[in-house]
């Protein structure tokens, strides 16, 4: 009964369009004042202590690092490198788009920014070479989402924070699925391009490749700083995030010189703005999940599932469907913070590996960015391509379909995610 | 008002930069003090930086509370607007206003709860002490573990930030009633794209 009321109130508040953080908070307050004996002080404490964890502080640092490197200049370097490597294959510029997105989204940490940056540089070039506009739009819209699977990923930090899973293990677990998904999207691009006879670019010499690699190296090295630092134990994840922010600052201002020292203030302010928004959702989500735990809702859910004979397969299927549906209405951060505390205890009880479950959620978020009605990548791509959402939906479907197939693969093949972190001794 | 806007921006920007530098220095310190350099090593080891994590957390908590208020002004707090966006303009405006006022009420309540909490967690004690009044059995409140700062000062980020946020919600609501305009945050802004974006739009 209480469960129905809690979720009913949350749902009603949410569909009025108020910020998700506010609807979470108001749900908690309503519940506290009307239907429980939980002392209000113990919940009020969560307002203060909800985000007092050093792990959470990785989020502002990663955002800062990403913002330093979110510039047209960095995107251009990644694209040039990608074109020299794969441009001579069928659908060369499309393949280069996938590769450039994978690299740029990983270091900038923002899918929509990646779609805009790579899209507005690459799409005009593709059209000039004679690609149909829909093809390019489909490639860029879906590849832009790769960033949340390839570490460093803020979405994974969110999951780690909500479930007390190791950030290092999650990051490592994202590497193979991330590359596999990039290959999948690239494969679809290649196949469609070959079938339709899309143009290739001239093959680059090794000297050009080396030059382009040296240009993009400084940006890509950020991934090494983070992953190497965490893996070797030189840094904790939060320290790695802070170091990557300093590193990104040095690269952006002194190596690439894409921004001057005067731009730093603006980058700091926009990172603070974004982090504060995410931390505000976290604070309220922590209170919300405190209520859920207190009402033993995850426990009731897993008992119900077990009593009705649902196994791992059915549960994961249901998880995917629920998350894909939620992806129709909310952005990734909120989905992870609301659903992870409910679903995670059930998953653990059913014997699903915590890190594997995290990767399933993250891949789900990735798919959610690319399909209507609210996929953020779609909207952003619609802005730069001047295509309507309906036309874009048609444009993305070959890639979206392959992403869904990939989601099934990730869901039912735990080894894909957990082999690497396990082999490296991170879990 | 302009002063408040500028202070808010300056405050969260400095906290962001400050926290990054604090953690950077703490890490550098940890590795430098492991190097066997005579003199330098002794001096570095004698410096205690165990408070760095705590300071970073406190700075980010303050940044989060005041940044959330700044975020109301920049329209970064998003909700599920697919449904209300399909309504006709007049009804949509009602829902938008309802959302803004709900935000103002929630942050207002949190500010009040927070203020009460801070008052009982040592602010009352500190106030009495400052005016030299009898302390009675008013609790002194604790201090933070490493920096040993009074907890009530650290925690006052909640009532202060939340009050500011409440004020911002009301400000945005008033502005919406007057002009029908809402602040909108662009998640896809990328610098250094101007020429390409323009040619992309034309293509």
């Amino acid at each position: 009964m209480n469960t129905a009321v809690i979720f009913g109130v949350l749902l009603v508040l949410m569909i009025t369009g108020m910020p998700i953080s506010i609807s979470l908070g108001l749900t908690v307050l309503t519940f506290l004042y009307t239907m429980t004996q939980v002392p209000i002080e113990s919940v009020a404490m969560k307002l203060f202590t909800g985000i007092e964890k050093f792990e959470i502080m990785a989020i502002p640092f990663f955002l800062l690092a990403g913002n330093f490197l979110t510039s047209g200049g960095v995107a251009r370097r990644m694209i040039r490198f990608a074109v020299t490597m794969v441009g001579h294959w069928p659908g060369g510029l499309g393949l280069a788009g996938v590769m450039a997105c994978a690299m740029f989204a990983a270091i900038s940490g923002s899918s929509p920014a990646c779609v805009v940056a790579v899209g507005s540089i690459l799409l005009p070039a593709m059209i000039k070479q004679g690609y149909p506009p829909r093809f390019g739009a489909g490639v860029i819209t879906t590849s832009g989402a790769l960033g949340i699977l390839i570490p460093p990923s803020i979405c994974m930090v969110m999951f780690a924070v909500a479930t007390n899973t190791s950030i290092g293990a999650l990051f490592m677990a994202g590497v193979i699925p991330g590359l596999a998904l990039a290959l999948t999207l690239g494969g679809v691009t290649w196949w469609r391009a070959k079938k339709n006879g899309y143009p290739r670019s001239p093959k680059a010499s090794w000297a050009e490749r080396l030059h382009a690699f040296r240009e993009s190296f400084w940006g890509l090295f950020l991934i090494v700083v983070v992953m190497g630092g965490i893996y070797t134990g030189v840094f904790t994840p939060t320290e790695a995030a802070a170091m990557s922010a300093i590193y990104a600052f040095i690269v952006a201002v002194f190596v690439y010189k894409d921004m001057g020292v005067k731009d730093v203030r603006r980058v700091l302010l926009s990172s603070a703005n974004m982090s504060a928004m995410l931390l505000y959702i976290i604070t309220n989500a922590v209170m919300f999940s405190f209520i859920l735990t207190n009402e033993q809702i995850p426990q009731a859910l897993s008992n119900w599932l077990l009593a009705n004979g649902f196994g791992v397969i059915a549960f994961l299927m249901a998880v995917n469907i629920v998350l894909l549906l939620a992806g129709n209405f909310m952005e990734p951060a909120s989905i992870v913070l609301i659903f992870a505390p409910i679903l995670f205890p059930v998953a653990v009880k059913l014997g699903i590996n915590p890190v594997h479950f995290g990767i399933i959620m993250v891949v789900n978020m990735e798919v959610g960015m690319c399909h209507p009605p609210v996929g953020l990548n779609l909207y952003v791509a619609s802005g730069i391509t001047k295509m309507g959402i309906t036309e874009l939906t048609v444009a993305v479907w070959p890639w979206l379909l392959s992403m869904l197939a990939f989601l099934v693969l990730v869901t039912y093949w735990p080894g894909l995610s957990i082999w690497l972190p396990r082999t490296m001794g991170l879990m | 008002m302009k002063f408040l806007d500028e202070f808010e921006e300056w405050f969260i920007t400095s906290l962001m930069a400050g926290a990054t530098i604090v953690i950077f220095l703490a890490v550098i310190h940890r590795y430098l003090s492991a190097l066997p350099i005579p003199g330098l090593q002794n001096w570095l080891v004698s410096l205690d930086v165990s408070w760095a994590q705590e300071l970073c957390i406190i700075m980010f908590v303050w940044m989060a509370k005041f940044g959330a208020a700044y975020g109301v002004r920049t329209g970064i707090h998003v909700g599920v607007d697919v449904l209300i966006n399909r309504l006709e303009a007049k009804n949509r405006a009602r829902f938008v206003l309802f959302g803004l006022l709900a935000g103002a009420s929630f942050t207002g309540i949190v500010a009040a709860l927070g203020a009460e909490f801070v008052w009982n967690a040592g602010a009352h004690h500190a106030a009495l002490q400052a005016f030299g009044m009898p302390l009675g059995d008013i609790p002194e409140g604790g201090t933070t573990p490493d920096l040993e700062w009074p907890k009530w000062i650290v925690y006052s980020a909640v009532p202060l930030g939340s009050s500011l946020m409440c004020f911002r919600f009301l400000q945005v609501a008033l502005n919406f009633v007057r002009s029908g305009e809402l602040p909108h945050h662009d998640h896809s802004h990328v610098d250094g794209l101007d020429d390409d974006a323009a040619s992309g739009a034309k293509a």
Side-chain angles (χ1 to χ4, degrees), chain A residues 381-406:
Chain A
S382 153
I384 57 167
T385 58
K386 307 285 169 236
M387 287 184 194
I389 294 295
T390 325
E391 191 184 357
L392 262 177
T393 311
V394 177
V396 298
W397 81 261
W399 290 272
L400 192 58
L401 218 57
S402 71
M403 277 175 112
L404 283 172
F406 182 78

Side-chain angles (χ1 to χ4, degrees), chain B residues 100-159:
Chain B
L100 290 170
L101 293 178
S105 346
F106 175 69
T107 48
I109 294 170
V110 167
L113 278 176
E116 193 191 331
F117 182 87
V118 166
W119 183 248
N120 293 328
H124 193 183
H125 186 276
L128 291 180
Q129 205 166 33
F131 292 107
M133 292 201 285
L135 294 170
D137 53 357
I138 305 291
E140 193 181 344
T143 57
T144 61
D146 296 323
L147 289 163
E148 297 180 359
W149 290 352
K151 271 194 175 154
W152 70 267
I153 294 184
V154 172
Y155 285 159
S156 53
V158 172

